[in-house]
Amino acid sequence: MNKNSTPIVSDLVLLGGGHANIQVLKMLAMNPIGGLRITLISDQTHSPYSGMIPGYLAGYYSYEDCHFDLRRICEELGQRFIKAKITGIDPLLKKIQLENRPEISYDCASINVGIEPESIENSSPEAALKLIPLKPISRFIAHWDRLIADLNAYKGSDMLQIAVVGAGASGVEISIILKMLIDQNQWNAEVSLIHRHEFLVSAKDHSAQRRLSNTLKNLDISVFKNTQALKKQEKGLLLKDEQGRVQTKDFFRVLTATQAAAPHWFKHAGLPTNPNGFLKVTEKLLVENETALFAAGDCIHFSPSPLKKAGVYAVRQGMLLEHNIRAFFTGKSALKTFHPKKNVLSLITIGERQALVHQDSASILRWMWPSLLWTVKDGIDRRFMKRFQARTFTRKPQQVDKLMPAPKTTLVPEDWESNTCGGCGSKLAASTLMLSLNKLDIPDDDAVSLGVKDGEDCALTRFSEHRLCLQSIDQFRSFISDPYLLGQIATQHALSDIYAMGGVAKTAQVGLTLGAANKKIHQEDIFQVMSGVLDILSNSGASLVGGHTGEGAELAIAIAVQGEVAPDQVLRKQLTQSGNSLILTKPIGTGVIFAANMLAQANGKLVDEALSSMLQSNKTAMEVLKCFDVSGCTDITGFGLLGHAFEMLRINSAGTLGIKIDYKAIPVFDGIGELFAKGYYASIAHKNYESLSSALSSEVSNQQFPALFDPQTSGGLLFSVPTHQTEECLKTLHQQGVAKACVIGEVIDQNKIIII
């Protein structure tokens, strides 16, 4: 055991990846509190920096330039990231409810989840498809990309009409940028700006309004002032003007930048909200009537003096929020009061790398040229983003020091007793284990006579008399910070051995090693990991019947599975027929992705894609295979694609068959080529190559064909079928959701491995 590891005794949970929470995350990581674990929860891996989004839409920034890669940031800072949709919170029990996964406990939490625009009433689902809300930004960008593609593809003679509803800063910026792109690309489209006020952005800055009006006029953007959008209909937008006249105007798409709305779960959770649904917070940024729940950003109603919905407030709240959270845990200082500035400076992008100042009071910046203002804004935004982006290397560094500074304060009691024993002396207390297991709803199974909650030395199960028993075990260290996700993937990985032999999983036992922590944290972690295990077992029709827990240097999991198979349905690794097609069901690349991720060098979206693949069960593919004449089947795991393919040859006792693999046909995750080129490899990849090098030609190496030797966690199935069944097999696999399945080679009548 690592005796120097600091035990975990308390949980801080950050809800949402907004500007304030990201600052809290970074500052607490750089000046840590001993014993405090930080978890960031967001339904998006990339969180947008709103100030740079107009520049991104105009093409001035890349996606990475203007987004916080939350997964990478957390990995670099050594904190937990959980990708999940927040559905509620129970402040009394200190539980956060998440969609399709178990609730998360907290000792202190901070809410910074953003907003969405008020919706326009729709007359039909077809009409709703034409609406594009500007918030949340992450979803808007996907809609924007489709809109741009549609405009580029349109060849009709009729002018496409596009409306932007709402003339706040974002609505004005989007209108200008969209019309600029239309003019640059000569698309056949026009833009209208519809708003229910007389003024643009705000009423006080008359100079900025005149300049914005001139900009809109010069771009031929039609402006409908004092006009309210009532309803989106199939044939257009129902509008009401200042005289009360109602008319329908046809629009190809309607982008809505209307007044902000709060997430619905605030009210459902019984939290204090204003009439518009925003969280009421005190001058300390505490949710009213709460002592362990903070909130910041656009989702709050600042009760002392209501604020505009402007990202600059979230930025300014970050430092104070971190101080108050630190004070909550350490008790070494008083909570500070947030004093917002009365006037908010807005630098509005007006296209062609130009900007205008919009502020309710005088500012020296308003005398700058628009191009110079853009330079100022660009510099401010880039400096802010640089503070919160993980470091990127052009080549894999020899060493990356991810160690954060030693804590100056700690929550760990002075009389903490570390578990320094080995063997059974490292087991967790029975009470800790049972309190966690009793929270799990383990389904009954008629085949299980004595199971996980019966306290016997062995599980007692009954299988049918005419079925063969399959048993397997897998174990690995934690490679992801989300314990629930770890439990899910570890279980899928273990079950794949059963599926690869054509079997049906029946029971499983789990061994858990947990890092140093107090009883409460251990209970929470067991519940999270085992909820993930139980989720996959239940979906697979298998039962949890027992297990073992202990304390060690880090989180690790072992799963033993037992299954059954009919004698005539057993799938073996042995290849038997020359000319058969080799089919692989999942992409390759999880090894290199997580090798890079451990150094915070893998893009969060790439990690998401790998996790999604790892969560896919091989049971579906196995059930398809039973309908075809499969010869040779195995799952691809730690030995890599070629290592497991070689096992299929070695078991062929006749020694007359070989395989030919088309390297370019191997499905791989987008982006792993760049990781390989930078020098990232899983630690076992070179050993996988060395173990096969004697059977390979000299031109086949780990550097030239890295995907062949990359170890996989919860990888796909590799099997062979006769050529005449290949097309139908692939078609069936694709229809059943095994979308990446493809032919990667064939069985040949020479006892060799050929890579082309």
Side-chain angles (χ1 to χ4, degrees), residues 392-432:
T392 298
F393 302 95
T394 57
R395 296 286 299 172
K396 180 186 177 182
Q398 292 296 317
Q399 180 179 351
V400 176
D401 184 9
K402 290 177 56 180
L403 295 177
M404 294 297 107
K408 297 178 182 178
T409 57
T410 182
L411 306 178
V412 182
E414 292 183 3
D415 59 351
W416 178 271
E417 294 184 9
S418 296
N419 187 347
T420 58
C421 297
C424 284
S426 66
K427 292 178 66 173
L428 299 182
S431 59
T432 299

Side-chain angles (χ1 to χ4, degrees), residues 198-215:
E198 177 68 28
F199 55 85
L200 299 171
V201 184
S202 70
K204 296 182 179 179
D205 193 337
H206 300 291
S207 174
Q209 288 188 55
R210 286 194 299 270
R211 299 174 74 181
L212 286 174
S213 295
N214 290 335
T215 301

Side-chain angles (χ1 to χ4, degrees), residues 434 437-442 451-456 544-545:
M434 292 311 300
L437 295 179
N438 287 337
K439 294 168 63 180
L440 297 172
D441 183 15
I442 301 174
V452 66
K453 292 187 177 181
D454 291 305
E456 291 291 345
L544 176 66
V545 296

Side-chain angles (χ1 to χ4, degrees), residues 290-315:
E290 299 294 334
T291 59
L293 189 59
F294 293 87
D298 287 347
C299 70
I300 69 168
H301 170 78
F302 190 64
S303 295
S305 59
L307 308 174
K308 294 180 180 179
K309 302 303 178 186
V312 65
Y313 285 121
V315 173

Side-chain angles (χ1 to χ4, degrees), residues 180-229:
M180 181 189 74
L181 293 175
I182 289 172
D183 293 343
Q184 288 176 351
N185 294 279
Q186 297 182 342
W187 293 327
N188 194 15
E190 292 181 336
V191 177
S192 297
L193 179 62
I194 301 169
H195 61 108
R196 58 184 179 180
H197 300 294
E198 177 68 28
F199 55 85
L200 299 171
V201 184
S202 70
K204 296 182 179 179
D205 193 337
H206 300 291
S207 174
Q209 288 188 55
R210 286 194 299 270
R211 299 174 74 181
L212 286 174
S213 295
N214 290 335
T215 301
L216 296 171
K217 183 178 180 180
N218 293 336
L219 286 170
D220 291 327
I221 296 175
S222 300
V223 179
F224 293 78
K225 296 181 180 180
N226 302 309
T227 301
Q228 187 175 359

Side-chain angles (χ1 to χ4, degrees), residues 706-723:
L708 293 174
F709 309 100
D710 190 58
Q712 304 303 290
T713 301
S714 190
L717 298 181
L718 176 67
F719 61 93
S720 79
V721 294
T723 304

